[in-house]
Amino acid sequence: MKKLFLMLIALVLLVSCSGSGSKKAFEDYMNVLKSGDVKKISEYQEKNGNGKLNVKDFGEMNFMLESFKKTDYKVLEVKEEKDKSVIKVKIKAPNLGEYAPEIFMDLMSLAFSGGEEKDGGKLLNDKFNEVLKSKDLKYINEEVSVNMIKRDGKWVLDIENAENDEFFSVLLGKIDKIGSTLSE
């Protein structure tokens, strides 16, 4: 009976630890993003090749970094098989897409009044940062699946997998969906 009990404990420990490699890599990625520190994120991405969200592309748009700071997540489930992993995640991120139409209208007004491109970037940044400071900030709460692969012995986000597009969209506050919303 004692041996059976010990074997059951060992089995429970083995099952509860499975998937920990990809889970830890995902959590590391999210925690670096949540830092909002462009240097940390850049270094992490260069080292691990993780993500479509290259912070160098944000330029002067630090509102995305502020948005990342307000993002929360909870890993719900990890299914790891050999060199592939699917992680089910509950993610809460600022809903920037909710505010984008109005901000983009302000941007269009600026463009039609002869404003320069640098003024447009500043306007976007200022308006979205103002939104992110709001006490009534709206959030996206979604469950998404994140696909990871093992590359050179490390777990990384599978950026070529289209199934990760929804995860990245939530991280961006669904701002990438604004074109489809405006055309409806």
Side-chain angles (χ1 to χ4, degrees):
M1 183 73 167
K2 187 176 178 183
K3 284 183 182 181
L4 179 62
F5 181 70
L6 290 174
M7 285 176 56
L8 283 173
I9 290 176
L11 181 62
V12 167
L13 287 174
L14 182 64
V15 170
S16 67
C17 291
S18 72
S20 64
S22 61
K23 179 183 176 189
K24 177 158 178 13
F26 173 77
E27 289 174 335
D28 289 348
Y29 176 73
M30 289 300 295
N31 291 332
V32 167
L33 273 184
K34 285 178 55 66
S35 76
D37 183 321
V38 76
K39 185 177 178 185
K40 270 187 189 178
I41 298 169
S42 292
E43 287 172 358
Y44 183 86
Q45 288 177 331
E46 286 174 20
K47 180 180 173 188
N48 296 290
N50 260 332
K52 291 182 180 182
L53 304 174
N54 188 341
V55 293
K56 292 177 183 175
D57 294 340
F58 295 151
E60 302 281 325
M61 302 298 151
N62 73 348
F63 73 88
M64 285 308 309
L65 299 171
E66 291 303 314
S67 181
F68 294 154
K69 289 179 186 178
K70 294 180 176 284
T71 299
D72 288 315
Y73 70 94
K74 179 179 180 182
V75 174
L76 302 174
E77 179 180 59
V78 179
K79 291 183 181 176
E80 203 173 278
E81 289 183 31
K82 296 184 182 179
D83 61 348
K84 293 186 180 197
S85 175
V86 178
I87 302 173
K88 191 175 195 179
V89 181
K90 175 86 172 171
I91 191 163
K92 177 182 174 187
N95 189 349
L96 299 179
E98 177 78 21
Y99 306 95
E102 183 179 330
I103 293 172
F104 289 162
M105 292 302 284
D106 291 345
L107 185 61
M108 298 268 288
S109 294
L110 178 68
F112 286 128
S113 68
E116 294 186 29
E117 188 175 329
K118 67 177 179 164
D119 296 332
K122 182 177 178 351
L123 179 121
L124 278 176
N125 203 45
D126 291 349
K127 292 281 187 174
F128 276 117
N129 273 319
E130 188 177 306
V131 162
L132 288 163
K133 290 177 185 169
S134 168
K135 291 178 182 153
D136 300 324
L137 180 63
K138 295 177 183 172
Y139 284 85
I140 299 164
N141 284 293
E142 285 190 21
E143 283 184 17
V144 296
S145 292
V146 178
N147 291 270
M148 299 187 71
I149 57 173
K150 197 178 261 190
R151 185 179 301 135
D152 299 326
K154 287 188 208 175
W155 284 104
V156 296
L157 289 162
D158 186 357
I159 61 173
E160 295 172 11
N161 189 328
E163 293 177 16
N164 281 338
D165 290 350
E166 190 60 24
F167 165 68
F168 288 114
S169 182
V170 172
L171 279 180
L172 291 171
K174 300 267 183 170
I175 203 168
D176 60 320
K177 305 284 188 198
I178 193 64
S180 61
T181 305
L182 291 175
S183 64
E184 292 176 353

